[in-house]
């Protein structure tokens, strides 16, 4: 539900309930202008220059803020542009805590901040009960960054506990919720201060645009700094991509539901397959994070899962080259199913098991997808 009682599905379907006052158009226009004229008193009106903010971006941001139950949202030219703006204010002496297994691009950025700016970073084991708390340095830790579920092992981190631990230490909690869009998880309501999505993935949903989003629970100094960082670094989302993102989001709830149903069917089917050591999917009752996932996700358990292939890295790579429907490509959240040998993609610093195949499940028929994996494993 949004604050005014509208269900998220309805909000999404209507693209924020848009009607153009002048023309009656039910789809917002793309406003490509880079600059905005002042009024006849030489005052700035709503906009100045499109690197600061632009009307098409503002429309998608308003919808995103409602989806997250946020005070405000900012759209960026990619997920990593958003992450870079989030961490931009950190300097020497600041301490960041993040999971050891996490999206490798963010881990790379944190290592870079450590090398070049003197930011101290502690990586914790997301499967350890009190590992997050143990990694905290009260008074010094300024940011706790978590993912849920953790990519690509899909361990579940309890956002409510993480928020308590972060806030007790005087730190902010940022949540990368890329794998769990707001139709299934609303991180701010679980206590996060800022929620992040690579909108490239589920929100856009069609593997045809790059975008990122940050949404905040409070309009504070940190948020102003993030906004200023976007302007300074030029990471704003372009008007065409903003328009396309809004278009994609209109079907988010339908896509996600189908994708999650397919993922659960695949997970159940392969749970006891002889070619597979383990299926990592929080929707399985056997998954250690199942209970927490049930508490913080509303409805489905997501459409990302990983298979640990019997026979090691070589066998795993062989399976990834033998699927016909699952495309051997990186990324996730699109309507087409993808398969990936994650350790190959992440390189030598990867903390991911070498026999892990990550599946991003699309909206195809579950039977077709299962048959495809069966023949690849045979
Ligand atoms: C893809 C991804 C990112 C980075 O987003 P881009 O849009 O590729 O810049 C960050 N976190 C997670 C979990 C992702 O999957």
């Amino acid at each position: 539900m949004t604050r005014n009682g509208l269900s998220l599905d309805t909000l999404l379907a209507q693209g924020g309930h848009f009607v153009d006052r002048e023309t009656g158009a039910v789809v917002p226009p793309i406003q490509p202008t880079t600059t905005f004229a002042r009024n006849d008193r030489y005052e700035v009106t709503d906009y100045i220059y499109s690197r600061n903010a632009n009307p098409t971006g503002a429309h998608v941001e308003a919808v995103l803020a409602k989806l997250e139950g946020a005070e405000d949202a900012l759209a960026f030219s990619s997920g990593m542009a958003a992450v870079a703006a989030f961490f931009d204010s950190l300097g020497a002496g600041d301490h960041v805590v993040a999971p050891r297994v996490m999206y490798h691009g963010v881990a790379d950025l944190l290592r870079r901040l450590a090398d070049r700016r003197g930011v101290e970073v502690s990586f914790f084991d997301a499967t350890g009960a009190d590992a997050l708390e143990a990694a905290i340095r009260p008074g010094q830790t300024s940011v706790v960054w978590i993912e849920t579920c953790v990519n690509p092992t899909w361990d579940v981190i309890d956002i409510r506990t993480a928020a308590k631990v972060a806030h007790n230490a005087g730190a902010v909690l940022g949540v990368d919720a890329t794998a769990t869009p707001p139709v299934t998880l609303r991180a701010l309501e679980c206590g996060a201060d800022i929620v992040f999505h690579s909108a490239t993935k589920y929100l856009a949903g069609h593997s045809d645009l790059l975008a990122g989003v940050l949404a905040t629970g409070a309009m504070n100094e940190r948020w102003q700094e993030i906004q200023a960082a976007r302007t300074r670094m030029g990471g704003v989302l372009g008007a065409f991509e903003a328009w396309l993102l809004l278009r994609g989001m209109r079907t988010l709830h339908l896509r996600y539901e189908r994708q999650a149903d397919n993922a659960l069917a695949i997970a159940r089917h392969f749970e006891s397959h002889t070619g597979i050591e383990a299926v990592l999917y929080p929707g399985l009752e056997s998954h250690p994070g199942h209970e927490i996932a049930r508490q913080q996700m509303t409805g489905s358990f997501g459409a990302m899962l990983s298979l640990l292939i019997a026979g090691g890295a070589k066998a795993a790579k062989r399976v990834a080259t033998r699927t016909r429907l699952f495309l051997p490509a990186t990324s996730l959240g699109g309507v087409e199913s993808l398969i990936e040998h994650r350790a190959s993609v992440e390189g030598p610093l990867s903390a991911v098991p070498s026999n892990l195949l990550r599946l991003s499940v699309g909206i195809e028929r579950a039977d077709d997808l299962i048959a495809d994996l069966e023949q690849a494993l045979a």
Side-chain angles (χ1 to χ4, degrees):
M1 285 283 170
T2 61
R3 283 182 192 165
N4 58 6
L6 215 57
S7 76
L8 296 194
D9 295 12
T10 301
L11 180 80
L12 285 163
Q14 299 205 349
H17 194 61
F18 178 87
V19 179
D20 185 74
R21 272 191 231 114
E22 274 173 36
T23 64
V26 300
V27 171
I30 302 175
Q31 178 47 268
T33 194
T34 55
T35 190
F36 300 83
R38 290 169 177 243
N39 68 15
D40 48 16
R41 289 187 300 280
Y42 205 69
E43 293 158 345
V44 168
T45 55
D46 291 346
Y47 297 97
I48 305 170
Y49 185 59
S50 281
R51 176 154 47 71
N52 303 45
N54 62 76
T56 320
H59 186 79
V60 77
E61 287 165 354
V63 176
L64 287 162
K66 280 189 188 146
L67 283 176
E68 293 290 358
E71 285 296 318
D72 197 18
L74 288 170
F76 291 81
S77 56
S78 72
M80 286 311 297
V83 172
F86 176 81
F87 285 109
D88 186 60
S89 65
L90 298 187
D94 280 316
H95 179 237
V96 177
V97 173
R100 181 163 292 120
V101 176
M102 67 187 298
Y103 178 70
H104 71 123
V106 180
D108 281 350
L109 183 130
L110 291 177
R111 282 191 284 263
R112 178 88 181 166
L113 289 179
D115 287 350
R116 292 298 178 103
R117 283 208 209 159
V119 173
E120 292 171 42
V121 183
S122 301
F123 292 105
F124 71 96
D125 176 2
T127 61
D130 300 317
L132 167 57
E133 194 160 11
I136 294 262
R137 300 179 198 159
Q140 196 201 345
T141 305
S142 45
V143 175
V144 174
W145 180 264
I146 60 169
E147 265 178 46
T148 179
C149 311
V150 172
N151 184 2
T153 50
W154 318 113
D155 299 316
V156 183
I157 298 178
D158 185 347
I159 301 173
R160 289 183 178 87
T161 304
K164 234 176 273 163
V165 168
H167 295 156
N168 282 343
V172 297
L173 178 67
V175 175
D176 180 344
T178 297
T180 49
V183 286
T184 191
L185 182 130
R186 305 224 294 169
L188 299 178
E189 286 173 1
C190 299
D193 298 292
I194 294 205
V195 58
F196 159 75
H197 294 274
S198 166
T200 309
K201 315 291 170 54
Y202 289 105
L203 294 176
H206 296 75
S207 307
D208 56 6
L209 76 102
L210 289 169
V213 53
L214 293 172
T216 186
M219 302 297 277
N220 50 22
E221 205 177 310
R222 169 173 295 275
W223 188 247
Q224 282 165 5
E225 275 192 32
I226 290 171
Q227 199 155 7
R230 185 179 75 168
T231 298
R232 193 168 56 243
M233 301 193 294
V236 73
L237 186 62
F240 289 94
E241 283 79 7
W243 185 86
L244 203 52
L245 174 56
L246 189 69
R247 182 197 215 271
M249 278 165 49
R250 284 176 177 246
T251 55
L252 169 64
H253 51 302
L254 295 180
R255 287 187 275 109
Y256 195 71
E257 217 169 280
R258 174 64 172 259
Q259 287 172 291
D261 285 351
N262 283 351
L264 183 61
I266 292 169
R268 288 233 166 96
H269 181 91
F270 289 100
E271 200 178 4
S272 49
H273 194 284
T274 51
I276 288 171
E277 275 174 16
V279 175
L280 311 179
Y281 181 64
L284 292 175
E285 288 78 5
S286 59
H287 189 282
H290 181 69
E291 261 320 301
I292 296 166
R294 184 186 287 288
Q295 287 161 27
Q296 66 189 16
M297 295 169 81
T298 55
S300 83
F301 295 93
M304 295 302 300
L305 67 148
S306 294
L307 307 176
L308 299 182
I309 303 295
K314 234 173 134 188
K317 279 196 220 175
R318 196 167 55 231
V319 173
T321 59
R322 282 190 181 170
T323 54
R324 298 187 191 125
L325 292 179
F326 279 88
L327 302 170
T330 195
S331 198
L332 62 97
V335 290
E336 67 287 306
S337 294
L338 304 178
I339 189 166
E340 177 171 71
H341 183 248
R342 199 63 197 159
S344 297
V345 175
E346 295 192 5
L349 291 177
S350 175
V352 170
S354 65
N355 64 337
L356 181 146
L357 291 180
R358 187 182 82 176
L359 306 182
S360 170
V361 180
I363 62 169
E364 305 92 339
R365 289 286 302 225
D367 292 352
D368 291 340
L369 296 174
I370 288 169
D372 187 40
L373 291 168
E374 279 284 5
Q375 66 79 29
L377 281 159

